[in-house]
Coordinates of all heavy atoms in Angstrom, one line a residue:
F5 N 16.9 -11.3 -7.0 CA 16.2 -11.4 -5.7 C 15.7 -12.8 -5.6 O 15.1 -13.3 -6.6 CB 15.2 -10.4 -5.5 CG 14.4 -10.4 -4.2 CD1 15.0 -10.0 -3.0 CD2 13.1 -10.9 -4.2 CE1 14.3 -10.0 -1.8 CE2 12.4 -10.9 -3.0 CZ 13.0 -10.5 -1.8
Y6 N 15.8 -13.4 -4.4 CA 15.2 -14.8 -4.2 C 14.1 -14.7 -3.2 O 14.3 -14.1 -2.1 CB 16.3 -15.8 -3.8 CG 17.2 -16.2 -4.9 CD1 18.3 -15.4 -5.2 CD2 16.9 -17.3 -5.6 CE1 19.1 -15.8 -6.3 CE2 17.8 -17.7 -6.7 CZ 18.9 -16.9 -7.0 OH 19.7 -17.2 -8.0
L7 N 13.0 -15.4 -3.5 CA 11.9 -15.4 -2.6 C 11.5 -16.9 -2.4 O 11.2 -17.6 -3.4 CB 10.7 -14.7 -3.1 CG 9.4 -14.7 -2.3 CD1 9.6 -13.9 -1.0 CD2 8.3 -14.0 -3.1
N8 N 11.6 -17.4 -1.1 CA 11.4 -18.8 -0.9 C 12.3 -19.7 -1.7 O 11.8 -20.7 -2.2 CB 9.9 -19.1 -1.0 CG 9.0 -18.4 -0.1 OD1 9.4 -18.1 1.0 ND2 7.8 -18.0 -0.6
G9 N 13.5 -19.3 -1.9 CA 14.4 -20.1 -2.7 C 14.3 -20.0 -4.2 O 15.1 -20.7 -4.9
E10 N 13.4 -19.2 -4.7 CA 13.2 -19.1 -6.1 C 13.5 -17.7 -6.6 O 13.3 -16.7 -5.9 CB 11.8 -19.4 -6.5 CG 11.4 -20.9 -6.2 CD 10.0 -21.2 -6.7 OE1 9.4 -20.5 -7.5 OE2 9.4 -22.1 -6.1
R11 N 14.0 -17.6 -7.8 CA 14.3 -16.2 -8.4 C 13.0 -15.4 -8.5 O 12.0 -16.0 -8.9 CB 14.9 -16.3 -9.7 CG 16.4 -16.8 -9.7 CD 17.0 -16.8 -11.0 NE 16.9 -15.4 -11.6 CZ 18.0 -14.7 -11.9 NH1 19.2 -15.2 -11.7 NH2 17.9 -13.5 -12.4
F12 N 13.0 -14.2 -8.1 CA 11.8 -13.3 -8.1 C 12.3 -11.9 -8.5 O 13.2 -11.4 -7.9 CB 11.2 -13.3 -6.7 CG 9.9 -12.6 -6.6 CD1 8.8 -13.1 -7.0 CD2 9.9 -11.3 -6.1 CE1 7.6 -12.4 -6.9 CE2 8.8 -10.5 -6.0 CZ 7.6 -11.1 -6.4
K13 N 11.6 -11.4 -9.5 CA 11.9 -10.0 -9.9 C 10.8 -9.1 -9.4 O 9.6 -9.2 -9.6 CB 11.8 -10.0 -11.5 CG 12.3 -8.7 -12.0 CD 12.3 -8.8 -13.5 CE 12.9 -7.5 -14.1 NZ 13.1 -7.6 -15.6
L14 N 11.3 -8.1 -8.6 CA 10.4 -7.1 -8.1 C 10.0 -6.1 -9.2 O 10.9 -5.5 -9.8 CB 11.0 -6.3 -6.9 CG 11.2 -7.1 -5.6 CD1 12.0 -6.2 -4.6 CD2 9.9 -7.5 -5.0
I15 N 8.7 -5.9 -9.4 CA 8.2 -4.9 -10.3 C 7.3 -4.0 -9.4 O 6.2 -4.4 -9.1 CB 7.5 -5.5 -11.5 CG1 8.5 -6.4 -12.2 CG2 7.0 -4.4 -12.4 CD1 7.9 -7.2 -13.3
S16 N 7.7 -2.8 -9.1 CA 7.1 -2.0 -8.1 C 6.4 -0.8 -8.7 O 6.8 -0.2 -9.7 CB 8.1 -1.6 -7.1 OG 7.5 -0.8 -6.1
G17 N 5.2 -0.5 -8.1 CA 4.5 0.8 -8.4 C 4.2 1.4 -7.1 O 4.1 0.8 -6.1
S18 N 4.0 2.7 -7.2 CA 3.7 3.5 -6.0 C 2.3 4.0 -5.9 O 1.7 4.4 -6.9 CB 4.7 4.7 -6.0 OG 4.5 5.5 -4.8
I19 N 1.7 3.9 -4.7 CA 0.4 4.5 -4.5 C 0.5 5.3 -3.2 O 1.0 4.9 -2.2 CB -0.7 3.4 -4.2 CG1 -0.9 2.5 -5.4 CG2 -2.0 4.0 -3.8 CD1 -1.8 1.4 -5.2
H20 N 0.2 6.6 -3.4 CA 0.1 7.5 -2.2 C -1.3 7.4 -1.6 O -2.2 8.2 -2.0 CB 0.4 8.9 -2.7 CG 1.8 9.1 -3.3 ND1 2.2 10.2 -4.0 CD2 2.9 8.2 -3.3 CE1 3.4 10.1 -4.4 NE2 3.8 8.9 -4.0
Y21 N -1.4 6.5 -0.7 CA -2.7 6.2 -0.1 C -3.4 7.5 0.4 O -4.6 7.6 0.4 CB -2.6 5.2 1.1 CG -1.7 5.7 2.2 CD1 -2.3 6.3 3.3 CD2 -0.3 5.6 2.2 CE1 -1.6 6.8 4.4 CE2 0.4 6.1 3.3 CZ -0.2 6.7 4.4 OH 0.5 7.2 5.4
F22 N -2.7 8.5 0.9 CA -3.3 9.7 1.5 C -3.8 10.6 0.4 O -4.4 11.6 0.7 CB -2.2 10.4 2.4 CG -0.9 10.6 1.7 CD1 -0.7 11.8 1.0 CD2 0.1 9.6 1.6 CE1 0.5 12.0 0.3 CE2 1.3 9.8 1.0 CZ 1.5 11.0 0.3
R23 N -3.5 10.3 -0.9 CA -4.0 11.1 -2.0 C -5.2 10.5 -2.7 O -5.7 11.0 -3.7 CB -2.9 11.4 -3.0 CG -1.8 12.3 -2.4 CD -0.8 12.7 -3.4 NE 0.0 13.8 -2.9 CZ 1.4 13.8 -3.1 NH1 1.9 12.9 -3.8 NH2 2.1 14.8 -2.6
V24 N -5.5 9.3 -2.2 CA -6.6 8.5 -2.9 C -7.7 8.2 -1.8 O -7.3 7.7 -0.7 CB -6.0 7.1 -3.4 CG1 -7.1 6.3 -4.0 CG2 -4.9 7.4 -4.4
P25 N -8.9 8.5 -2.1 CA -10.0 8.2 -1.1 C -9.9 6.7 -0.8 O -9.8 5.8 -1.7 CB -11.3 8.5 -1.9 CG -10.9 9.5 -2.9 CD -9.5 9.1 -3.3
P26 N -10.1 6.3 0.5 CA -10.0 4.9 0.9 C -10.9 4.0 0.1 O -10.6 2.8 -0.2 CB -10.4 5.0 2.4 CG -9.9 6.3 2.8 CD -10.2 7.2 1.6
D27 N -12.1 4.5 -0.4 CA -13.0 3.7 -1.1 C -12.4 3.2 -2.5 O -12.9 2.3 -3.1 CB -14.3 4.4 -1.4 CG -15.2 4.5 -0.2 OD1 -14.9 3.8 0.8 OD2 -16.1 5.4 -0.2
Y28 N -11.3 3.9 -2.9 CA -10.7 3.6 -4.2 C -9.4 2.8 -4.0 O -8.7 2.4 -5.0 CB -10.4 4.9 -5.0 CG -11.6 5.5 -5.5 CD1 -12.1 6.7 -4.9 CD2 -12.3 5.1 -6.6 CE1 -13.2 7.3 -5.3 CE2 -13.4 5.7 -7.1 CZ -13.9 6.8 -6.4 OH -15.0 7.5 -6.9
W29 N -8.9 2.5 -2.8 CA -7.7 1.9 -2.6 C -7.6 0.5 -3.3 O -6.7 0.2 -4.0 CB -7.4 1.7 -1.1 CG -7.0 2.9 -0.4 CD1 -6.7 4.2 -1.0 CD2 -6.9 3.1 1.0 NE1 -6.4 5.1 0.0 CE2 -6.5 4.5 1.2 CE3 -7.1 2.3 2.1 CZ2 -6.3 5.0 2.5 CZ3 -7.0 2.8 3.4 CH2 -6.6 4.1 3.6
Q30 N -8.7 -0.3 -3.1 CA -8.7 -1.6 -3.7 C -8.6 -1.5 -5.2 O -7.9 -2.3 -5.9 CB -9.9 -2.4 -3.3 CG -10.0 -3.8 -4.0 CD -10.5 -4.9 -3.1 OE1 -10.3 -4.8 -1.9 NE2 -11.1 -5.9 -3.7
D31 N -9.4 -0.6 -5.8 CA -9.4 -0.4 -7.3 C -8.0 -0.1 -7.7 O -7.5 -0.6 -8.7 CB -10.4 0.7 -7.6 CG -10.3 1.1 -9.1 OD1 -10.7 0.2 -9.9 OD2 -9.8 2.1 -9.4
R32 N -7.3 0.8 -7.0 CA -5.9 1.2 -7.4 C -4.9 0.0 -7.3 O -4.0 -0.1 -8.1 CB -5.5 2.4 -6.6 CG -6.3 3.7 -6.8 CD -6.6 4.0 -8.3 NE -7.2 5.2 -8.5 CZ -8.5 5.4 -8.6 NH1 -9.3 4.4 -8.6 NH2 -9.0 6.6 -8.8
L33 N -5.1 -0.8 -6.3 CA -4.2 -1.9 -6.1 C -4.5 -2.9 -7.2 O -3.5 -3.5 -7.8 CB -4.5 -2.6 -4.7 CG -3.9 -1.8 -3.5 CD1 -4.5 -2.4 -2.2 CD2 -2.4 -1.8 -3.5
V34 N -5.7 -3.1 -7.6 CA -6.0 -4.0 -8.8 C -5.4 -3.5 -10.0 O -4.8 -4.2 -10.8 CB -7.5 -4.2 -8.9 CG1 -7.9 -4.8 -10.3 CG2 -8.1 -5.0 -7.8
K35 N -5.5 -2.2 -10.3 CA -4.9 -1.6 -11.5 C -3.4 -1.7 -11.5 O -2.8 -1.9 -12.5 CB -5.4 -0.1 -11.6 CG -6.8 0.0 -12.0 CD -7.3 1.4 -12.0 CE -8.7 1.4 -12.5 NZ -9.4 2.7 -12.4
L36 N -2.8 -1.5 -10.3 CA -1.3 -1.7 -10.2 C -0.9 -3.1 -10.6 O 0.0 -3.3 -11.4 CB -0.9 -1.4 -8.8 CG 0.6 -1.2 -8.5 CD1 1.0 0.2 -9.1 CD2 0.9 -1.2 -7.0
K37 N -1.7 -4.1 -10.1 CA -1.4 -5.5 -10.5 C -1.6 -5.7 -12.0 O -0.8 -6.4 -12.6 CB -2.4 -6.4 -9.7 CG -2.4 -7.8 -10.1 CD -1.1 -8.5 -9.8 CE -1.2 -10.0 -10.1 NZ 0.0 -10.6 -10.6
N38 N -2.7 -5.1 -12.5 CA -3.0 -5.3 -14.0 C -1.9 -4.7 -14.8 O -1.8 -5.0 -16.0 CB -4.4 -4.7 -14.3 CG -5.5 -5.5 -13.7 OD1 -5.3 -6.7 -13.3 ND2 -6.7 -5.0 -13.7
M39 N -1.2 -3.7 -14.3 CA -0.1 -3.1 -15.0 C 1.2 -3.9 -15.0 O 2.2 -3.6 -15.6 CB 0.3 -1.7 -14.5 CG -0.8 -0.7 -14.7 SD -0.5 1.0 -14.1 CE 1.1 0.9 -13.3
G40 N 1.1 -5.0 -14.3 CA 2.3 -5.9 -14.2 C 3.1 -5.8 -13.0 O 4.1 -6.5 -12.8
C41 N 2.7 -5.0 -12.0 CA 3.4 -4.8 -10.8 C 3.1 -6.0 -9.8 O 2.0 -6.4 -9.7 CB 3.1 -3.5 -10.1 SG 3.6 -2.1 -11.1
N42 N 4.1 -6.4 -9.1 CA 3.9 -7.4 -8.0 C 4.3 -6.9 -6.7 O 4.3 -7.6 -5.7 CB 4.7 -8.7 -8.4 CG 6.2 -8.4 -8.5 OD1 6.8 -7.4 -8.0 ND2 6.9 -9.3 -9.2
T43 N 4.6 -5.6 -6.6 CA 5.0 -4.9 -5.3 C 4.4 -3.5 -5.3 O 4.4 -2.8 -6.3 CB 6.5 -4.8 -5.2 OG1 7.1 -6.2 -5.4 CG2 7.0 -4.3 -3.9
V44 N 3.9 -3.1 -4.1 CA 3.4 -1.7 -4.0 C 4.3 -1.0 -3.0 O 4.8 -1.6 -2.0 CB 1.9 -1.7 -3.5 CG1 1.7 -2.3 -2.2 CG2 1.4 -0.3 -3.5
E45 N 4.6 0.2 -3.3 CA 5.4 1.0 -2.4 C 4.6 2.3 -2.1 O 3.8 2.7 -2.8 CB 6.8 1.4 -3.1 CG 6.6 2.3 -4.3 CD 8.0 2.6 -4.9 OE1 8.5 3.7 -4.5 OE2 8.4 1.9 -5.8
T46 N 4.9 2.8 -0.9 CA 4.3 4.1 -0.5 C 5.3 4.7 0.5 O 6.3 4.2 0.8 CB 2.9 3.8 0.1 OG1 2.2 5.1 0.2 CG2 3.0 3.1 1.5
Y47 N 5.0 5.9 0.8 CA 5.7 6.6 1.9 C 4.7 7.2 2.8 O 3.5 7.3 2.5 CB 6.7 7.6 1.4 CG 6.2 8.8 0.7 CD1 5.8 10.0 1.4 CD2 6.0 8.9 -0.7 CE1 5.3 11.1 0.8 CE2 5.5 10.0 -1.3 CZ 5.2 11.1 -0.6 OH 4.7 12.2 -1.2
I48 N 5.1 7.5 4.0 CA 4.2 8.0 5.0 C 4.5 9.5 5.2 O 5.6 9.9 5.7 CB 4.4 7.2 6.4 CG1 4.1 5.8 6.1 CG2 3.6 7.8 7.5 CD1 4.4 4.9 7.3
P49 N 3.5 10.3 4.9 CA 3.7 11.8 5.0 C 3.4 12.2 6.5 O 2.3 12.4 6.9 CB 2.6 12.3 4.1 CG 1.5 11.3 4.2 CD 2.2 10.0 4.4
W50 N 4.5 12.3 7.2 CA 4.3 12.6 8.7 C 3.6 13.9 8.9 O 2.9 14.0 9.9 CB 5.7 12.5 9.4 CG 5.4 12.3 10.8 CD1 5.6 13.2 11.8 CD2 4.9 11.2 11.5 NE1 5.2 12.7 13.0 CE2 4.8 11.4 12.8 CE3 4.4 9.9 11.0 CZ2 4.3 10.5 13.7 CZ3 3.9 9.0 11.9 CH2 3.9 9.3 13.2
N51 N 3.8 14.9 8.0 CA 3.1 16.1 8.3 C 1.5 15.9 8.2 O 0.8 16.7 8.8 CB 3.5 17.2 7.2 CG 3.2 16.8 5.8 OD1 3.2 15.6 5.5 ND2 2.9 17.7 5.0
G52 N 1.1 14.9 7.6 CA -0.4 14.6 7.6 C -0.8 13.8 8.8 O -1.9 14.0 9.3
H53 N 0.1 12.9 9.3 CA -0.2 12.1 10.4 C 0.0 12.9 11.8 O -0.6 12.5 12.8 CB 0.7 10.9 10.4 CG 0.3 9.9 9.4 ND1 -0.9 9.2 9.4 CD2 0.9 9.5 8.2 CE1 -0.9 8.4 8.4 NE2 0.1 8.6 7.6
E54 N 0.8 13.9 11.8 CA 0.9 14.8 12.9 C 0.8 16.2 12.5 O 1.8 17.0 12.4 CB 2.3 14.5 13.6 CG 2.4 15.2 15.0 CD 3.8 15.0 15.6 OE1 4.7 14.5 15.0 OE2 3.9 15.3 16.8
P55 N -0.4 16.6 12.2 CA -0.6 18.0 11.7 C -0.2 19.1 12.7 O 0.1 20.2 12.3 CB -2.1 18.1 11.3 CG -2.7 17.0 12.1 CD -1.7 15.9 12.3
H56 N -0.3 18.8 14.0 CA 0.1 19.7 15.0 C 0.9 18.9 16.0 O 0.5 17.7 16.3 CB -1.2 20.3 15.7 CG -2.1 21.0 14.8 ND1 -1.8 22.2 14.2 CD2 -3.3 20.6 14.3 CE1 -2.8 22.5 13.4 NE2 -3.7 21.6 13.4
K57 N 1.9 19.4 16.6 CA 2.8 18.7 17.5 C 2.0 18.0 18.6 O 1.2 18.6 19.3 CB 3.8 19.7 18.1 CG 4.8 19.0 18.9 CD 5.9 20.0 19.4 CE 6.8 19.3 20.3 NZ 8.1 19.0 19.7
G58 N 2.2 16.7 18.6 CA 1.5 15.9 19.6 C 0.1 15.4 19.3 O -0.5 14.7 20.0
K59 N -0.4 15.9 18.2 CA -1.8 15.5 17.7 C -1.7 14.6 16.5 O -1.2 15.1 15.4 CB -2.6 16.8 17.4 CG -2.8 17.8 18.5 CD -3.7 17.2 19.6 CE -3.8 18.3 20.7 NZ -4.6 17.8 21.8
F60 N -2.1 13.4 16.6 CA -1.9 12.4 15.6 C -3.2 12.0 14.9 O -4.2 12.0 15.5 CB -1.2 11.2 16.1 CG 0.1 11.5 16.8 CD1 0.2 11.7 18.1 CD2 1.2 11.6 16.0 CE1 1.4 12.0 18.7 CE2 2.5 11.9 16.6 CZ 2.5 12.1 18.0
C61 N -3.1 11.7 13.6 CA -4.2 11.3 12.8 C -3.9 10.1 12.0 O -3.0 10.1 11.1 CB -4.6 12.5 11.8 SG -6.0 12.1 10.7
F62 N -4.6 9.0 12.3 CA -4.4 7.7 11.5 C -5.8 7.2 11.1 O -6.1 6.0 11.1 CB -3.7 6.7 12.4 CG -2.3 7.1 12.6 CD1 -1.9 7.7 13.8 CD2 -1.3 6.8 11.7 CE1 -0.5 8.1 14.0 CE2 0.0 7.1 11.8 CZ 0.4 7.7 13.0
T63 N -6.7 8.1 10.6 CA -8.0 7.7 10.2 C -8.2 8.3 8.8 O -7.5 9.2 8.3 CB -9.1 8.3 11.1 OG1 -9.0 9.7 11.2 CG2 -8.9 7.7 12.5
G64 N -9.3 7.9 8.1 CA -9.6 8.4 6.8 C -8.5 8.3 5.8 O -7.9 7.2 5.6
L65 N -8.2 9.3 5.2 CA -7.1 9.3 4.2 C -5.7 8.9 4.8 O -4.8 8.4 4.1 CB -6.9 10.7 3.5 CG -8.0 11.1 2.6 CD1 -7.7 12.6 2.1 CD2 -8.0 10.2 1.4
Y66 N -5.6 9.0 6.1 CA -4.3 8.8 6.8 C -4.3 7.4 7.5 O -3.5 7.2 8.3 CB -4.0 9.9 7.7 CG -3.7 11.2 7.0 CD1 -4.6 12.2 6.9 CD2 -2.5 11.3 6.2 CE1 -4.3 13.4 6.2 CE2 -2.2 12.5 5.5 CZ -3.1 13.5 5.5 OH -2.9 14.6 4.8
D67 N -5.2 6.5 7.2 CA -5.3 5.2 7.8 C -4.3 4.3 7.1 O -4.7 3.4 6.4 CB -6.7 4.7 7.8 CG -6.9 3.5 8.7 OD1 -5.9 2.9 9.1 OD2 -8.1 3.1 8.9
V68 N -3.0 4.5 7.4 CA -2.0 3.7 6.8 C -2.1 2.2 7.2 O -1.8 1.4 6.3 CB -0.6 4.3 7.2 CG1 -0.3 4.2 8.6 CG2 0.5 3.6 6.3
E69 N -2.6 1.9 8.4 CA -2.7 0.5 8.7 C -3.7 -0.2 7.9 O -3.5 -1.3 7.4 CB -3.1 0.4 10.2 CG -3.3 -1.1 10.6 CD -3.7 -1.2 12.1 OE1 -3.9 -0.2 12.8 OE2 -3.8 -2.4 12.5
A70 N -4.9 0.5 7.6 CA -5.9 -0.1 6.7 C -5.4 -0.3 5.3 O -5.6 -1.4 4.7 CB -7.1 0.7 6.7
F71 N -4.6 0.6 4.8 CA -4.1 0.5 3.5 C -3.1 -0.7 3.4 O -3.2 -1.5 2.5 CB -3.3 1.8 3.1 CG -2.7 1.7 1.7 CD1 -3.5 1.8 0.6 CD2 -1.3 1.5 1.6 CE1 -2.9 1.6 -0.7 CE2 -0.8 1.4 0.3 CZ -1.5 1.5 -0.8
V72 N -2.2 -0.8 4.4 CA -1.2 -1.9 4.3 C -1.9 -3.2 4.5 O -1.6 -4.2 3.8 CB -0.1 -1.6 5.4 CG1 0.8 -2.9 5.6 CG2 0.7 -0.4 5.1
R73 N -2.9 -3.3 5.4 CA -3.6 -4.5 5.5 C -4.4 -4.9 4.3 O -4.4 -6.1 3.9 CB -4.6 -4.5 6.7 CG -3.9 -4.5 8.1 CD -4.8 -4.6 9.2 NE -4.2 -4.5 10.5 CZ -3.5 -5.5 11.1 NH1 -3.4 -6.6 10.5 NH2 -2.9 -5.3 12.3
L74 N -4.9 -4.0 3.6 CA -5.6 -4.2 2.3 C -4.6 -4.8 1.3 O -4.9 -5.8 0.6 CB -6.3 -3.0 1.8 CG -7.1 -3.1 0.5 CD1 -8.2 -4.2 0.5 CD2 -7.6 -1.8 0.0
A75 N -3.5 -4.1 1.2 CA -2.5 -4.6 0.2 C -2.0 -6.0 0.6 O -1.8 -6.8 -0.3 CB -1.3 -3.6 0.2
Q76 N -1.8 -6.2 1.9 CA -1.4 -7.6 2.3 C -2.5 -8.6 2.0 O -2.2 -9.7 1.5 CB -1.2 -7.5 3.8 CG -0.8 -8.9 4.4 CD -0.6 -8.8 5.9 OE1 -1.2 -8.0 6.6 NE2 0.2 -9.7 6.4
S77 N -3.7 -8.3 2.2 CA -4.8 -9.3 1.9 C -4.9 -9.6 0.4 O -5.1 -10.7 0.0 CB -6.2 -8.7 2.4 OG -6.7 -7.7 1.6
R78 N -4.6 -8.6 -0.5 CA -4.6 -8.8 -1.9 C -3.4 -9.7 -2.3 O -3.6 -10.6 -3.1 CB -4.4 -7.5 -2.7 CG -5.5 -6.4 -2.4 CD -6.6 -6.5 -3.4 NE -6.1 -6.7 -4.8 CZ -6.7 -7.6 -5.6 NH1 -7.7 -8.3 -5.2 NH2 -6.2 -7.8 -6.8
S79 N -2.3 -9.6 -1.6 CA -1.1 -10.4 -1.8 C -1.5 -11.9 -1.4 O -1.1 -12.8 -2.1 CB 0.1 -9.9 -1.0 OG 1.1 -10.8 -1.1
E80 N -2.1 -12.0 -0.3 CA -2.5 -13.4 0.2 C -3.5 -14.0 -0.7 O -3.4 -15.2 -1.0 CB -3.0 -13.3 1.6 CG -1.9 -13.0 2.6 CD -2.5 -12.6 4.0 OE1 -3.7 -12.6 4.2 OE2 -1.6 -12.4 4.9
E81 N -4.4 -13.3 -1.3 CA -5.4 -13.8 -2.3 C -4.6 -14.4 -3.5 O -5.0 -15.4 -4.0 CB -6.3 -12.7 -2.7 CG -7.4 -12.3 -1.7 CD -8.2 -11.1 -2.2 OE1 -8.2 -10.8 -3.4 OE2 -8.8 -10.4 -1.3
R82 N -3.6 -13.7 -3.9 CA -2.9 -14.1 -5.1 C -2.1 -15.4 -4.8 O -2.0 -16.3 -5.7 CB -2.0 -13.0 -5.6 CG -2.7 -11.9 -6.3 CD -1.8 -11.0 -7.1 NE -0.9 -10.2 -6.2 CZ -1.3 -9.1 -5.6 NH1 -2.5 -8.7 -5.7 NH2 -0.4 -8.5 -4.8
R83 N -1.5 -15.5 -3.6 CA -0.8 -16.7 -3.3 C -1.7 -17.9 -3.2 O -1.3 -19.0 -3.7 CB 0.0 -16.5 -2.0 CG 1.3 -15.8 -2.1 CD 2.0 -15.9 -0.8 NE 1.3 -15.0 0.1 CZ 1.8 -14.1 0.9 NH1 3.1 -14.0 1.0 NH2 1.1 -13.4 1.7
V84 N -2.9 -17.8 -2.7 CA -3.8 -18.9 -2.6 C -4.3 -19.3 -4.0 O -4.3 -20.5 -4.3 CB -5.0 -18.5 -1.7 CG1 -6.1 -19.6 -1.8 CG2 -4.5 -18.3 -0.3
G85 N -4.5 -18.3 -4.8 CA -5.0 -18.6 -6.2 C -4.0 -18.9 -7.2 O -4.2 -19.0 -8.4
K86 N -2.7 -19.0 -6.8 CA -1.6 -19.2 -7.7 C -1.9 -20.2 -8.7 O -1.8 -20.5 -9.6 CB -0.4 -19.6 -6.8 CG 0.9 -19.2 -7.4 CD 2.0 -19.6 -6.4 CE 3.4 -19.2 -6.8 NZ 4.4 -19.7 -6.0

């Protein structure tokens, strides 16, 4: 894989954001990085985001936007501190 014209090896780990209290997301992202991962993967459990037809939940454990933004901010911190 090439990133910005340079060889880059993806080493991925998975975090199920909806199974981890939001207060621990940053800690888990740090631990993922400390294990040698440079990529985080997750999936979106639609049954949690739409528990009843037409009723949506994107808060608390299901705040996928907050999780992705946190992961993105951690990535940007690493690029600046490269």
Side-chain angles (χ1 to χ4, degrees):
F5 179 73
Y6 285 86
L7 178 65
N8 298 325
E10 296 181 24
R11 288 184 61 116
F12 184 80
K13 186 175 187 176
L14 288 175
I15 303 171
S16 180
S18 182
I19 298 177
H20 298 168
Y21 63 93
F22 53 92
R23 292 187 171 138
V24 178
D27 289 343
Y28 291 102
W29 288 347
Q30 177 141 332
D31 173 72
R32 297 313 187 264
L33 289 166
V34 168
K35 287 177 178 172
L36 196 71
K37 170 69 173 144
N38 290 343
M39 289 180 2
C41 295
N42 59 21
T43 305
V44 62
E45 63 180 271
T46 194
Y47 66 86
I48 298 175
W50 199 250
N51 61 328
H53 290 289
E54 188 180 13
H56 305 288
K57 188 173 175 100
K59 302 289 182 184
F60 300 97
C61 178
F62 290 97
T63 60
L65 288 175
Y66 294 104
D67 193 345
V68 63
E69 180 181 2
F71 178 76
V72 170
R73 288 188 186 280
L74 178 61
Q76 179 183 24
S77 73
R78 300 267 321 132
S79 174
E80 290 169 357
E81 287 173 18
R82 286 193 293 279
R83 275 188 290 225
V84 170
K86 207 175 185 187

